[in-house]
PDB file of all heavy atoms in Angstrom:
ATOM      1  N   GLY A  21      -9.232  28.844   2.544  1.00  0.00           N
ATOM      2  CA  GLY A  21     -10.441  28.602   3.252  1.00  0.00           C
ATOM      3  C   GLY A  21     -11.615  28.248   2.347  1.00  0.00           C
ATOM      4  O   GLY A  21     -12.741  28.350   2.826  1.00  0.00           O
ATOM      5  N   ARG A  22     -11.335  27.755   1.123  1.00  0.00           N
ATOM      6  CA  ARG A  22     -12.431  27.447   0.217  1.00  0.00           C
ATOM      7  C   ARG A  22     -12.665  25.914   0.186  1.00  0.00           C
ATOM      8  O   ARG A  22     -13.267  25.380  -0.754  1.00  0.00           O
ATOM      9  CB  ARG A  22     -12.063  27.962  -1.182  1.00  0.00           C
ATOM     10  CG  ARG A  22     -11.950  29.469  -1.226  1.00  0.00           C
ATOM     11  CD  ARG A  22     -11.312  29.884  -2.552  1.00  0.00           C
ATOM     12  NE  ARG A  22     -11.108  31.346  -2.505  1.00  0.00           N
ATOM     13  CZ  ARG A  22     -11.769  32.203  -3.190  1.00  0.00           C
ATOM     14  NH1 ARG A  22     -12.767  31.857  -3.957  1.00  0.00           N
ATOM     15  NH2 ARG A  22     -11.519  33.511  -3.086  1.00  0.00           N
ATOM     16  N   SER A  23     -12.250  25.226   1.193  1.00  0.00           N
ATOM     17  CA  SER A  23     -12.418  23.755   1.233  1.00  0.00           C
ATOM     18  C   SER A  23     -13.878  23.366   1.374  1.00  0.00           C
ATOM     19  O   SER A  23     -14.631  24.189   1.971  1.00  0.00           O
ATOM     20  CB  SER A  23     -11.586  23.139   2.377  1.00  0.00           C
ATOM     21  OG  SER A  23     -11.942  23.663   3.605  1.00  0.00           O
ATOM     22  N   PRO A  24     -14.279  22.212   0.867  1.00  0.00           N
ATOM     23  CA  PRO A  24     -15.666  21.829   0.979  1.00  0.00           C
ATOM     24  C   PRO A  24     -16.132  21.426   2.400  1.00  0.00           C
ATOM     25  O   PRO A  24     -15.321  21.078   3.293  1.00  0.00           O
ATOM     26  CB  PRO A  24     -15.763  20.654   0.040  1.00  0.00           C
ATOM     27  CG  PRO A  24     -14.481  20.610  -0.682  1.00  0.00           C
ATOM     28  CD  PRO A  24     -13.495  21.287   0.146  1.00  0.00           C
ATOM     29  N   ASP A  25     -17.447  21.461   2.583  1.00  0.00           N
ATOM     30  CA  ASP A  25     -18.048  20.834   3.751  1.00  0.00           C
ATOM     31  C   ASP A  25     -18.099  19.301   3.495  1.00  0.00           C
ATOM     32  O   ASP A  25     -18.353  18.903   2.358  1.00  0.00           O
ATOM     33  CB  ASP A  25     -19.423  21.283   3.981  1.00  0.00           C
ATOM     34  CG  ASP A  25     -19.531  22.758   4.334  1.00  0.00           C
ATOM     35  OD1 ASP A  25     -18.476  23.333   4.829  1.00  0.00           O
ATOM     36  OD2 ASP A  25     -20.586  23.387   4.195  1.00  0.00           O
ATOM     37  N   LEU A  26     -17.904  18.494   4.547  1.00  0.00           N
ATOM     38  CA  LEU A  26     -18.023  17.035   4.411  1.00  0.00           C
ATOM     39  C   LEU A  26     -19.035  16.606   5.394  1.00  0.00           C
ATOM     40  O   LEU A  26     -18.910  16.833   6.604  1.00  0.00           O
ATOM     41  CB  LEU A  26     -16.664  16.347   4.720  1.00  0.00           C
ATOM     42  CG  LEU A  26     -15.513  16.714   3.776  1.00  0.00           C
ATOM     43  CD1 LEU A  26     -14.250  15.988   4.270  1.00  0.00           C
ATOM     44  CD2 LEU A  26     -15.864  16.260   2.365  1.00  0.00           C
ATOM     45  N   THR A  27     -20.146  15.987   4.889  1.00  0.00           N
ATOM     46  CA  THR A  27     -21.269  15.598   5.718  1.00  0.00           C
ATOM     47  C   THR A  27     -21.522  14.101   5.710  1.00  0.00           C
ATOM     48  O   THR A  27     -21.717  13.544   4.610  1.00  0.00           O
ATOM     49  CB  THR A  27     -22.557  16.295   5.236  1.00  0.00           C
ATOM     50  OG1 THR A  27     -22.375  17.704   5.210  1.00  0.00           O
ATOM     51  CG2 THR A  27     -23.752  15.955   6.136  1.00  0.00           C
ATOM     52  N   PRO A  28     -21.370  13.385   6.807  1.00  0.00           N
ATOM     53  CA  PRO A  28     -21.649  11.960   6.818  1.00  0.00           C
ATOM     54  C   PRO A  28     -23.124  11.682   6.650  1.00  0.00           C
ATOM     55  O   PRO A  28     -23.990  12.453   7.018  1.00  0.00           O
ATOM     56  CB  PRO A  28     -21.202  11.535   8.258  1.00  0.00           C
ATOM     57  CG  PRO A  28     -21.291  12.771   9.089  1.00  0.00           C
ATOM     58  CD  PRO A  28     -21.083  13.927   8.207  1.00  0.00           C
ATOM     59  N   LEU A  29     -23.440  10.523   6.059  1.00  0.00           N
ATOM     60  CA  LEU A  29     -24.758  10.173   5.745  1.00  0.00           C
ATOM     61  C   LEU A  29     -24.987   8.616   5.889  1.00  0.00           C
ATOM     62  O   LEU A  29     -24.229   7.875   5.307  1.00  0.00           O
ATOM     63  CB  LEU A  29     -25.197  10.565   4.307  1.00  0.00           C
ATOM     64  CG  LEU A  29     -26.569  10.286   3.849  1.00  0.00           C
ATOM     65  CD1 LEU A  29     -27.607  11.080   4.626  1.00  0.00           C
ATOM     66  CD2 LEU A  29     -26.705  10.610   2.358  1.00  0.00           C
ATOM     67  N   GLN A  30     -25.932   8.279   6.763  1.00  0.00           N
ATOM     68  CA  GLN A  30     -26.304   6.846   6.920  1.00  0.00           C
ATOM     69  C   GLN A  30     -27.263   6.504   5.768  1.00  0.00           C
ATOM     70  O   GLN A  30     -28.226   7.231   5.591  1.00  0.00           O
ATOM     71  CB  GLN A  30     -26.931   6.613   8.213  1.00  0.00           C
ATOM     72  CG  GLN A  30     -27.150   5.115   8.597  1.00  0.00           C
ATOM     73  CD  GLN A  30     -25.879   4.426   9.032  1.00  0.00           C
ATOM     74  OE1 GLN A  30     -24.964   5.101   9.606  1.00  0.00           O
ATOM     75  NE2 GLN A  30     -25.715   3.175   8.758  1.00  0.00           N
ATOM     76  N   LEU A  31     -27.026   5.414   5.077  1.00  0.00           N
ATOM     77  CA  LEU A  31     -27.856   5.028   4.015  1.00  0.00           C
ATOM     78  C   LEU A  31     -28.860   3.955   4.391  1.00  0.00           C
ATOM     79  O   LEU A  31     -28.506   3.018   5.132  1.00  0.00           O
ATOM     80  CB  LEU A  31     -26.998   4.491   2.838  1.00  0.00           C
ATOM     81  CG  LEU A  31     -25.950   5.464   2.221  1.00  0.00           C
ATOM     82  CD1 LEU A  31     -25.103   4.736   1.172  1.00  0.00           C
ATOM     83  CD2 LEU A  31     -26.664   6.673   1.620  1.00  0.00           C
ATOM     84  N   HIS A  32     -30.070   4.016   3.837  1.00  0.00           N
ATOM     85  CA  HIS A  32     -31.108   3.034   4.116  1.00  0.00           C
ATOM     86  C   HIS A  32     -31.824   2.691   2.790  1.00  0.00           C
ATOM     87  O   HIS A  32     -31.934   3.578   1.888  1.00  0.00           O
ATOM     88  CB  HIS A  32     -32.196   3.618   5.032  1.00  0.00           C
ATOM     89  CG  HIS A  32     -31.677   4.089   6.388  1.00  0.00           C
ATOM     90  ND1 HIS A  32     -31.369   3.190   7.421  1.00  0.00           N
ATOM     91  CD2 HIS A  32     -31.273   5.308   6.791  1.00  0.00           C
ATOM     92  CE1 HIS A  32     -30.920   3.901   8.407  1.00  0.00           C
ATOM     93  NE2 HIS A  32     -30.864   5.161   8.096  1.00  0.00           N
ATOM     94  N   PRO A  33     -32.262   1.447   2.637  1.00  0.00           N
ATOM     95  CA  PRO A  33     -33.042   1.040   1.446  1.00  0.00           C
ATOM     96  C   PRO A  33     -34.217   2.072   1.271  1.00  0.00           C
ATOM     97  O   PRO A  33     -34.922   2.346   2.208  1.00  0.00           O
ATOM     98  CB  PRO A  33     -33.485  -0.353   1.710  1.00  0.00           C
ATOM     99  CG  PRO A  33     -32.518  -0.857   2.708  1.00  0.00           C
ATOM    100  CD  PRO A  33     -32.109   0.319   3.556  1.00  0.00           C
ATOM    101  N   GLY A  34     -34.423   2.511   0.021  1.00  0.00           N
ATOM    102  CA  GLY A  34     -35.512   3.407  -0.190  1.00  0.00           C
ATOM    103  C   GLY A  34     -35.020   4.859  -0.269  1.00  0.00           C
ATOM    104  O   GLY A  34     -35.741   5.738  -0.769  1.00  0.00           O
ATOM    105  N   ASP A  35     -33.818   5.199   0.232  1.00  0.00           N
ATOM    106  CA  ASP A  35     -33.374   6.504   0.187  1.00  0.00           C
ATOM    107  C   ASP A  35     -33.099   6.951  -1.239  1.00  0.00           C
ATOM    108  O   ASP A  35     -32.689   6.141  -2.123  1.00  0.00           O
ATOM    109  CB  ASP A  35     -31.947   6.639   0.914  1.00  0.00           C
ATOM    110  CG  ASP A  35     -32.137   6.634   2.403  1.00  0.00           C
ATOM    111  OD1 ASP A  35     -33.269   6.600   2.929  1.00  0.00           O
ATOM    112  OD2 ASP A  35     -31.073   6.655   3.079  1.00  0.00           O
ATOM    113  N   ARG A  36     -33.319   8.197  -1.521  1.00  0.00           N
ATOM    114  CA  ARG A  36     -32.884   8.812  -2.791  1.00  0.00           C
ATOM    115  C   ARG A  36     -32.125  10.065  -2.549  1.00  0.00           C
ATOM    116  O   ARG A  36     -32.558  10.897  -1.689  1.00  0.00           O
ATOM    117  CB  ARG A  36     -34.082   9.153  -3.713  1.00  0.00           C
ATOM    118  CG  ARG A  36     -34.572   7.965  -4.499  1.00  0.00           C
ATOM    119  CD  ARG A  36     -35.648   8.331  -5.541  1.00  0.00           C
ATOM    120  NE  ARG A  36     -35.928   7.215  -6.386  1.00  0.00           N
ATOM    121  CZ  ARG A  36     -36.945   7.127  -7.215  1.00  0.00           C
ATOM    122  NH1 ARG A  36     -37.816   8.226  -7.291  1.00  0.00           N
ATOM    123  NH2 ARG A  36     -37.193   6.049  -7.994  1.00  0.00           N
ATOM    124  N   VAL A  37     -30.984  10.186  -3.171  1.00  0.00           N
ATOM    125  CA  VAL A  37     -30.151  11.396  -3.079  1.00  0.00           C
ATOM    126  C   VAL A  37     -30.051  11.993  -4.418  1.00  0.00           C
ATOM    127  O   VAL A  37     -29.877  11.338  -5.416  1.00  0.00           O
ATOM    128  CB  VAL A  37     -28.732  11.084  -2.515  1.00  0.00           C
ATOM    129  CG1 VAL A  37     -27.825  12.302  -2.457  1.00  0.00           C
ATOM    130  CG2 VAL A  37     -28.779  10.373  -1.191  1.00  0.00           C
ATOM    131  N   LEU A  38     -30.331  13.339  -4.421  1.00  0.00           N
ATOM    132  CA  LEU A  38     -30.169  14.106  -5.663  1.00  0.00           C
ATOM    133  C   LEU A  38     -28.944  15.012  -5.528  1.00  0.00           C
ATOM    134  O   LEU A  38     -28.881  15.824  -4.602  1.00  0.00           O
ATOM    135  CB  LEU A  38     -31.430  14.923  -5.867  1.00  0.00           C
ATOM    136  CG  LEU A  38     -31.349  15.992  -6.984  1.00  0.00           C
ATOM    137  CD1 LEU A  38     -31.210  15.340  -8.351  1.00  0.00           C
ATOM    138  CD2 LEU A  38     -32.634  16.866  -6.999  1.00  0.00           C
ATOM    139  N   LEU A  39     -28.044  14.976  -6.486  1.00  0.00           N
ATOM    140  CA  LEU A  39     -26.933  15.933  -6.691  1.00  0.00           C
ATOM    141  C   LEU A  39     -27.311  16.797  -7.827  1.00  0.00           C
ATOM    142  O   LEU A  39     -27.663  16.270  -8.909  1.00  0.00           O
ATOM    143  CB  LEU A  39     -25.613  15.268  -6.886  1.00  0.00           C
ATOM    144  CG  LEU A  39     -25.221  14.196  -5.871  1.00  0.00           C
ATOM    145  CD1 LEU A  39     -23.829  13.643  -6.317  1.00  0.00           C
ATOM    146  CD2 LEU A  39     -25.183  14.691  -4.472  1.00  0.00           C
ATOM    147  N   CYS A  40     -27.270  18.119  -7.702  1.00  0.00           N
ATOM    148  CA  CYS A  40     -27.704  18.984  -8.857  1.00  0.00           C
ATOM    149  C   CYS A  40     -26.964  20.284  -8.890  1.00  0.00           C
ATOM    150  O   CYS A  40     -26.571  20.856  -7.864  1.00  0.00           O
ATOM    151  CB  CYS A  40     -29.232  19.226  -8.797  1.00  0.00           C
ATOM    152  SG  CYS A  40     -29.812  20.180  -7.440  1.00  0.00           S
ATOM    153  N   SER A  41     -26.828  20.836 -10.082  1.00  0.00           N
ATOM    154  CA  SER A  41     -26.318  22.227 -10.234  1.00  0.00           C
ATOM    155  C   SER A  41     -27.499  23.176  -9.933  1.00  0.00           C
ATOM    156  O   SER A  41     -28.634  22.793  -9.912  1.00  0.00           O
ATOM    157  CB  SER A  41     -25.730  22.376 -11.590  1.00  0.00           C
ATOM    158  OG  SER A  41     -26.716  22.219 -12.597  1.00  0.00           O
ATOM    159  N   ASP A  42     -27.154  24.484  -9.799  1.00  0.00           N
ATOM    160  CA  ASP A  42     -28.231  25.384  -9.427  1.00  0.00           C
ATOM    161  C   ASP A  42     -29.122  25.757 -10.631  1.00  0.00           C
ATOM    162  O   ASP A  42     -30.072  26.449 -10.475  1.00  0.00           O
ATOM    163  CB  ASP A  42     -27.607  26.715  -8.777  1.00  0.00           C
ATOM    164  CG  ASP A  42     -26.882  27.560  -9.854  1.00  0.00           C
ATOM    165  OD1 ASP A  42     -26.353  27.003 -10.814  1.00  0.00           O
ATOM    166  OD2 ASP A  42     -26.840  28.758  -9.618  1.00  0.00           O
ATOM    167  N   GLY A  43     -28.787  25.163 -11.781  1.00  0.00           N
ATOM    168  CA  GLY A  43     -29.678  25.303 -12.922  1.00  0.00           C
ATOM    169  C   GLY A  43     -30.990  24.587 -12.650  1.00  0.00           C
ATOM    170  O   GLY A  43     -32.004  24.921 -13.286  1.00  0.00           O
ATOM    171  N   LEU A  44     -31.008  23.625 -11.676  1.00  0.00           N
ATOM    172  CA  LEU A  44     -32.281  23.027 -11.262  1.00  0.00           C
ATOM    173  C   LEU A  44     -32.868  23.763 -10.063  1.00  0.00           C
ATOM    174  O   LEU A  44     -33.984  24.295 -10.106  1.00  0.00           O
ATOM    175  CB  LEU A  44     -32.038  21.546 -10.910  1.00  0.00           C
ATOM    176  CG  LEU A  44     -33.305  20.856 -10.418  1.00  0.00           C
ATOM    177  CD1 LEU A  44     -34.245  20.589 -11.558  1.00  0.00           C
ATOM    178  CD2 LEU A  44     -32.957  19.563  -9.629  1.00  0.00           C
ATOM    179  N   SER A  45     -32.047  23.873  -8.997  1.00  0.00           N
ATOM    180  CA  SER A  45     -32.608  24.322  -7.702  1.00  0.00           C
ATOM    181  C   SER A  45     -33.016  25.839  -7.750  1.00  0.00           C
ATOM    182  O   SER A  45     -33.848  26.288  -6.948  1.00  0.00           O
ATOM    183  CB  SER A  45     -31.564  24.132  -6.593  1.00  0.00           C
ATOM    184  OG  SER A  45     -30.338  24.748  -6.875  1.00  0.00           O
ATOM    185  N   SER A  46     -32.405  26.594  -8.633  1.00  0.00           N
ATOM    186  CA  SER A  46     -32.710  28.088  -8.686  1.00  0.00           C
ATOM    187  C   SER A  46     -33.926  28.351  -9.492  1.00  0.00           C
ATOM    188  O   SER A  46     -34.482  29.459  -9.418  1.00  0.00           O
ATOM    189  CB  SER A  46     -31.525  28.841  -9.251  1.00  0.00           C
ATOM    190  OG  SER A  46     -30.411  28.752  -8.404  1.00  0.00           O
ATOM    191  N   TYR A  47     -34.419  27.366 -10.274  1.00  0.00           N
ATOM    192  CA  TYR A  47     -35.538  27.644 -11.217  1.00  0.00           C
ATOM    193  C   TYR A  47     -36.744  26.715 -11.019  1.00  0.00           C
ATOM    194  O   TYR A  47     -37.885  27.145 -11.330  1.00  0.00           O
ATOM    195  CB  TYR A  47     -35.064  27.530 -12.630  1.00  0.00           C
ATOM    196  CG  TYR A  47     -33.942  28.556 -13.008  1.00  0.00           C
ATOM    197  CD1 TYR A  47     -32.582  28.138 -12.857  1.00  0.00           C
ATOM    198  CD2 TYR A  47     -34.249  29.881 -13.248  1.00  0.00           C
ATOM    199  CE1 TYR A  47     -31.595  29.146 -13.135  1.00  0.00           C
ATOM    200  CE2 TYR A  47     -33.276  30.798 -13.454  1.00  0.00           C
ATOM    201  CZ  TYR A  47     -31.941  30.401 -13.438  1.00  0.00           C
ATOM    202  OH  TYR A  47     -30.974  31.337 -13.680  1.00  0.00           O
ATOM    203  N   VAL A  48     -36.604  25.523 -10.484  1.00  0.00           N
ATOM    204  CA  VAL A  48     -37.687  24.587 -10.288  1.00  0.00           C
ATOM    205  C   VAL A  48     -38.123  24.668  -8.854  1.00  0.00           C
ATOM    206  O   VAL A  48     -37.284  24.464  -7.947  1.00  0.00           O
ATOM    207  CB  VAL A  48     -37.281  23.213 -10.708  1.00  0.00           C
ATOM    208  CG1 VAL A  48     -38.436  22.235 -10.513  1.00  0.00           C
ATOM    209  CG2 VAL A  48     -36.891  23.180 -12.179  1.00  0.00           C
ATOM    210  N   PRO A  49     -39.376  24.868  -8.551  1.00  0.00           N
ATOM    211  CA  PRO A  49     -39.853  24.972  -7.186  1.00  0.00           C
ATOM    212  C   PRO A  49     -39.486  23.716  -6.343  1.00  0.00           C
ATOM    213  O   PRO A  49     -39.525  22.563  -6.876  1.00  0.00           O
ATOM    214  CB  PRO A  49     -41.372  25.119  -7.324  1.00  0.00           C
ATOM    215  CG  PRO A  49     -41.544  25.795  -8.656  1.00  0.00           C
ATOM    216  CD  PRO A  49     -40.519  25.163  -9.495  1.00  0.00           C
ATOM    217  N   HIS A  50     -39.171  23.875  -5.102  1.00  0.00           N
ATOM    218  CA  HIS A  50     -38.840  22.843  -4.175  1.00  0.00           C
ATOM    219  C   HIS A  50     -39.862  21.754  -4.214  1.00  0.00           C
ATOM    220  O   HIS A  50     -39.489  20.503  -4.252  1.00  0.00           O
ATOM    221  CB  HIS A  50     -38.748  23.406  -2.791  1.00  0.00           C
ATOM    222  CG  HIS A  50     -38.329  22.407  -1.711  1.00  0.00           C
ATOM    223  ND1 HIS A  50     -37.014  22.298  -1.286  1.00  0.00           N
ATOM    224  CD2 HIS A  50     -39.018  21.522  -0.966  1.00  0.00           C
ATOM    225  CE1 HIS A  50     -36.945  21.369  -0.317  1.00  0.00           C
ATOM    226  NE2 HIS A  50     -38.175  20.901  -0.161  1.00  0.00           N
ATOM    227  N   GLU A  51     -41.101  22.053  -4.221  1.00  0.00           N
ATOM    228  CA  GLU A  51     -42.166  20.969  -4.149  1.00  0.00           C
ATOM    229  C   GLU A  51     -42.149  20.133  -5.375  1.00  0.00           C
ATOM    230  O   GLU A  51     -42.441  18.929  -5.331  1.00  0.00           O
ATOM    231  CB  GLU A  51     -43.467  21.585  -3.911  1.00  0.00           C
ATOM    232  CG  GLU A  51     -44.723  20.674  -4.006  1.00  0.00           C
ATOM    233  CD  GLU A  51     -44.565  19.479  -3.043  1.00  0.00           C
ATOM    234  OE1 GLU A  51     -43.979  19.616  -1.969  1.00  0.00           O
ATOM    235  OE2 GLU A  51     -45.173  18.439  -3.396  1.00  0.00           O
ATOM    236  N   GLN A  52     -41.838  20.673  -6.541  1.00  0.00           N
ATOM    237  CA  GLN A  52     -41.840  19.937  -7.782  1.00  0.00           C
ATOM    238  C   GLN A  52     -40.612  18.933  -7.754  1.00  0.00           C
ATOM    239  O   GLN A  52     -40.700  17.806  -8.222  1.00  0.00           O
ATOM    240  CB  GLN A  52     -41.798  20.851  -8.998  1.00  0.00           C
ATOM    241  CG  GLN A  52     -43.028  21.615  -9.228  1.00  0.00           C
ATOM    242  CD  GLN A  52     -42.982  22.417 -10.551  1.00  0.00           C
ATOM    243  OE1 GLN A  52     -42.206  22.140 -11.412  1.00  0.00           O
ATOM    244  NE2 GLN A  52     -43.772  23.453 -10.559  1.00  0.00           N
ATOM    245  N   ILE A  53     -39.484  19.419  -7.249  1.00  0.00           N
ATOM    246  CA  ILE A  53     -38.353  18.514  -7.112  1.00  0.00           C
ATOM    247  C   ILE A  53     -38.629  17.382  -6.190  1.00  0.00           C
ATOM    248  O   ILE A  53     -38.382  16.212  -6.426  1.00  0.00           O
ATOM    249  CB  ILE A  53     -37.095  19.341  -6.634  1.00  0.00           C
ATOM    250  CG1 ILE A  53     -36.721  20.449  -7.644  1.00  0.00           C
ATOM    251  CG2 ILE A  53     -35.942  18.318  -6.399  1.00  0.00           C
ATOM    252  CD1 ILE A  53     -35.619  21.277  -7.185  1.00  0.00           C
ATOM    253  N   ARG A  54     -39.258  17.718  -5.000  1.00  0.00           N
ATOM    254  CA  ARG A  54     -39.630  16.697  -4.007  1.00  0.00           C
ATOM    255  C   ARG A  54     -40.556  15.666  -4.604  1.00  0.00           C
ATOM    256  O   ARG A  54     -40.380  14.424  -4.395  1.00  0.00           O
ATOM    257  CB  ARG A  54     -40.272  17.404  -2.789  1.00  0.00           C
ATOM    258  CG  ARG A  54     -40.512  16.389  -1.653  1.00  0.00           C
ATOM    259  CD  ARG A  54     -41.674  16.857  -0.760  1.00  0.00           C
ATOM    260  NE  ARG A  54     -42.962  16.772  -1.570  1.00  0.00           N
ATOM    261  CZ  ARG A  54     -43.621  15.652  -1.718  1.00  0.00           C
ATOM    262  NH1 ARG A  54     -43.226  14.512  -1.282  1.00  0.00           N
ATOM    263  NH2 ARG A  54     -44.752  15.731  -2.429  1.00  0.00           N
ATOM    264  N   ALA A  55     -41.566  16.118  -5.308  1.00  0.00           N
ATOM    265  CA  ALA A  55     -42.561  15.186  -5.867  1.00  0.00           C
ATOM    266  C   ALA A  55     -41.950  14.245  -6.863  1.00  0.00           C
ATOM    267  O   ALA A  55     -42.295  13.010  -6.893  1.00  0.00           O
ATOM    268  CB  ALA A  55     -43.703  16.009  -6.497  1.00  0.00           C
ATOM    269  N   ALA A  56     -41.005  14.738  -7.724  1.00  0.00           N
ATOM    270  CA  ALA A  56     -40.346  13.877  -8.640  1.00  0.00           C
ATOM    271  C   ALA A  56     -39.540  12.822  -7.915  1.00  0.00           C
ATOM    272  O   ALA A  56     -39.585  11.620  -8.289  1.00  0.00           O
ATOM    273  CB  ALA A  56     -39.473  14.728  -9.572  1.00  0.00           C
ATOM    274  N   LEU A  57     -38.796  13.223  -6.914  1.00  0.00           N
ATOM    275  CA  LEU A  57     -37.974  12.231  -6.148  1.00  0.00           C
ATOM    276  C   LEU A  57     -38.766  11.269  -5.416  1.00  0.00           C
ATOM    277  O   LEU A  57     -38.382  10.097  -5.227  1.00  0.00           O
ATOM    278  CB  LEU A  57     -37.024  13.052  -5.159  1.00  0.00           C
ATOM    279  CG  LEU A  57     -35.814  13.725  -5.711  1.00  0.00           C
ATOM    280  CD1 LEU A  57     -35.030  14.420  -4.600  1.00  0.00           C
ATOM    281  CD2 LEU A  57     -34.907  12.727  -6.501  1.00  0.00           C
ATOM    282  N   ALA A  58     -39.940  11.656  -4.913  1.00  0.00           N
ATOM    283  CA  ALA A  58     -40.795  10.737  -4.102  1.00  0.00           C
ATOM    284  C   ALA A  58     -41.562   9.816  -4.965  1.00  0.00           C
ATOM    285  O   ALA A  58     -42.148   8.872  -4.407  1.00  0.00           O
ATOM    286  CB  ALA A  58     -41.769  11.600  -3.262  1.00  0.00           C
ATOM    287  N   SER A  59     -41.567   9.974  -6.244  1.00  0.00           N
ATOM    288  CA  SER A  59     -42.383   9.131  -7.152  1.00  0.00           C
ATOM    289  C   SER A  59     -41.769   7.690  -7.169  1.00  0.00           C
ATOM    290  O   SER A  59     -40.657   7.507  -6.772  1.00  0.00           O
ATOM    291  CB  SER A  59     -42.477   9.716  -8.531  1.00  0.00           C
ATOM    292  OG  SER A  59     -41.224   9.537  -9.172  1.00  0.00           O
ATOM    293  N   ASN A  60     -42.562   6.763  -7.788  1.00  0.00           N
ATOM    294  CA  ASN A  60     -42.111   5.414  -7.936  1.00  0.00           C
ATOM    295  C   ASN A  60     -41.408   5.212  -9.305  1.00  0.00           C
ATOM    296  O   ASN A  60     -41.125   4.044  -9.734  1.00  0.00           O
ATOM    297  CB  ASN A  60     -43.284   4.401  -7.811  1.00  0.00           C
ATOM    298  CG  ASN A  60     -43.817   4.377  -6.386  1.00  0.00           C
ATOM    299  OD1 ASN A  60     -43.034   4.440  -5.471  1.00  0.00           O
ATOM    300  ND2 ASN A  60     -45.090   4.324  -6.298  1.00  0.00           N
ATOM    301  N   GLU A  61     -41.139   6.300 -10.010  1.00  0.00           N
ATOM    302  CA  GLU A  61     -40.434   6.168 -11.298  1.00  0.00           C
ATOM    303  C   GLU A  61     -39.002   5.808 -11.049  1.00  0.00           C
ATOM    304  O   GLU A  61     -38.404   6.056  -9.948  1.00  0.00           O
ATOM    305  CB  GLU A  61     -40.523   7.526 -12.069  1.00  0.00           C
ATOM    306  CG  GLU A  61     -41.911   8.000 -12.382  1.00  0.00           C
ATOM    307  CD  GLU A  61     -42.545   7.146 -13.496  1.00  0.00           C
ATOM    308  OE1 GLU A  61     -41.896   6.221 -13.989  1.00  0.00           O
ATOM    309  OE2 GLU A  61     -43.682   7.473 -13.852  1.00  0.00           O
TER     310      GLU A  61
END
């Protein structure tokens, strides 16, 4: 019963997807992650 979840995703121009280990999500505030992804960098 340890199989992964599989989630379908429709892609659109301008989308950004972040894959990360918990070394990011457990220590960096959600808003800081969001702001970095939303930037034009």
Side-chain angles (χ1 to χ4, degrees):
R22 296 166 187 254
S23 59
D25 293 339
L26 297 175
T27 304
L29 181 64
Q30 189 79 31
L31 300 176
H32 303 277
D35 286 357
R36 275 186 174 168
V37 177
L38 169 65
L39 308 180
C40 65
S41 62
D42 71 330
L44 179 74
S45 57
S46 292
Y47 299 97
V48 178
H50 181 98
E51 174 55 29
Q52 291 184 24
I53 298 174
R54 187 208 66 79
L57 284 180
S59 74
N60 291 322
E61 299 287 1

